[in-house]
Amino acid sequence: MEILHTVHEVRQWARRQRAAGRAIHFVPTMGYFHEGHLSLMRRAREDEGAVIVSIFVNPLQFGAGEDFDRYPRDFERDRQMAHSVGVEAIFYPDVAEMYPSGYQTEVRVKELSKPLCGRSRPGHFEGVATVVLKLFNIVTPDRAYFGMKDYQQLRIIQQLVRDMNLPTEIVPCPIVREPDGLAMSSRNVYLTPEERAAATVLYRSLQWAQAQVAAGERDALKIREGVYQQIAAEPRARIDYVEVVDADTLLPVERIERPTLVAVAAFFGAARLIDNCLVSG
Ligand code: AMP
């Protein structure tokens, strides 16, 4: 497996793959791998071609007072895990390689960045869209794999690809969960054992929502209220938002008639966790 630190090295690697007639499949990450990340890499491996992963904790997508400095990092562990699932190259740039002095440009996907996490994390999705566009320009992937855990991010990248005519196919991948339902996240390491147990309320509330819709409930407000009350009843949870939105536009809906996203964000101690599920009327 090759470890590439510079844009130049990645371009050379990509050129070699193309010369060998191989497609390039790309999994962008911030590292500190768990099964969610590995599921994306395994999915990429199923497609014919070379798999490259990036590990870059992108300062542009962290707000002031957020966890950029203490975000968990362990390159050696990540390297071994990526190797074990057949990844062929890791792009592991430092901040100066991605944002050299004098860097100025940012990309904004206007409407999709406003609701949900965009409201509580101003500038976050501009940071995401910017780094993904840069990474796509560097890696030139045929396909890129994104987890549905970060559903709003996925929608923003799909829109970015469409709006900017990028030649990359976006492959959405299902949420990977712990046995008790908690969505896997690098940020789960922030949780104390008590908070870790409390955090399972997110998935339980989403399962309740799914069951309600399956049983015929179409009133989005009732679903939202039910999910909200269940999370609010957990003393260790501090709700950021509970929303029932159109799965394409991410705007609130009154009736569940089309594909709809139930999305939640809540703080458990120092950790801000997100989760979601798709329901359909
Ligand atoms: P991150 O390193 O947290 O930026 O995540 C890198 C990629 O892994 C993103 O596309 C995430 O959506 C995806 N991902 C993170 N957690 C999970 C999970 N539990 N299940 C599926 N994909 C995930």
Side-chain angles (χ1 to χ4, degrees):
M1 192 173 59
E2 294 188 54
I3 310 300
L4 312 167
H5 292 278
T6 67
V7 173
H8 180 70
E9 285 168 348
V10 178
R11 290 202 195 286
Q12 284 184 322
W13 178 88
R15 213 171 289 131
R16 284 204 305 279
Q17 306 312 314
R18 300 257 180 251
R22 303 180 78 202
I24 295 174
H25 301 321
F26 179 41
V27 182
T29 82
M30 298 203 297
Y32 209 71
F33 293 155
H34 50 67
E35 274 298 317
H37 296 113
L38 297 186
S39 74
L40 269 50
M41 298 175 207
R42 290 196 191 97
R43 175 67 190 78
R45 279 273 291 160
E46 283 171 20
D47 297 334
E48 195 76 19
V51 177
I52 179 167
V53 170
S54 64
I55 298 176
F56 181 61
V57 184
N58 173 33
L60 219 56
Q61 71 189 69
F62 288 78
E66 288 189 350
D67 56 346
F68 175 73
D69 288 329
R70 62 193 176 95
Y71 195 85
R73 297 162 167 90
D74 188 341
F75 180 73
E76 192 45 39
R77 177 173 165 277
D78 287 349
R79 194 185 64 74
Q80 286 170 20
M81 289 169 82
H83 181 69
S84 75
V85 294
V87 168
E88 291 180 36
I90 298 181
F91 179 36
Y92 183 47
D94 63 18
V95 172
E97 183 69 13
M98 292 298 281
Y99 305 114
S101 74
Y103 185 87
Q104 300 193 24
T105 305
E106 282 195 34
V107 185
R108 182 161 59 102
V109 179
K110 281 192 275 188
E111 297 307 321
L112 287 172
S113 299
K114 284 180 188 163
L116 306 177
C117 291
R119 208 167 287 140
S120 34
R121 303 187 69 188
H124 168 66
F125 287 118
E126 286 77 2
V128 169
T130 301
V131 81
V132 169
L133 181 57
K134 281 174 65 71
L135 289 167
F136 280 14
N137 281 332
I138 296 164
V139 174
T140 63
D142 294 280
R143 290 192 182 148
Y145 302 78
F146 288 85
M148 293 176 70
K149 162 145 179 293
D150 302 276
Y151 188 91
Q152 186 172 15
Q153 167 173 286
L154 166 69
R155 283 292 304 119
I156 286 168
I157 301 306
Q158 288 173 328
Q159 190 70 39
L160 176 75
V161 162
R162 193 167 114 184
D163 291 350
M164 291 292 105
N165 307 96
L166 303 178
T168 300
E169 181 191 338
I170 303 302
V171 182
C173 300
I175 301 176
V176 177
R177 299 179 178 281
E178 301 284 357
D180 64 6
L182 180 68
M184 290 199 181
S185 165
S186 306
R187 290 189 165 99
N188 291 349
V189 296
Y190 298 150
L191 299 167
T192 64
E194 295 75 22
E195 289 159 359
R196 167 70 187 74
T200 57
V201 70
L202 298 182
Y203 183 56
R204 281 201 309 281
S205 71
L206 293 174
Q207 276 185 309
W208 173 86
Q210 234 158 7
Q212 292 294 304
V213 177
E217 182 61 74
R218 295 291 175 268
D219 185 337
L221 196 63
K222 279 197 185 143
I223 298 293
R224 181 174 184 270
E225 275 303 305
V227 172
Y228 195 100
Q229 292 309 331
Q230 287 175 53
I231 303 175
E234 169 48 62
R236 289 194 161 83
R238 185 164 63 80
I239 295 175
D240 182 356
Y241 64 73
V242 174
E243 300 274 8
V244 180
V245 298
D246 182 280
D248 290 329
T249 65
L250 306 182
L251 296 175
V253 296
E254 286 176 11
R255 305 276 308 160
I256 299 172
E257 265 140 18
R258 290 177 15 86
T260 300
L261 186 79
V262 184
V264 301
F267 288 91
F268 294 81
R272 182 179 178 281
L273 304 183
I274 57 172
D275 203 346
N276 69 76
C277 71
L278 281 171
V279 293
S280 210

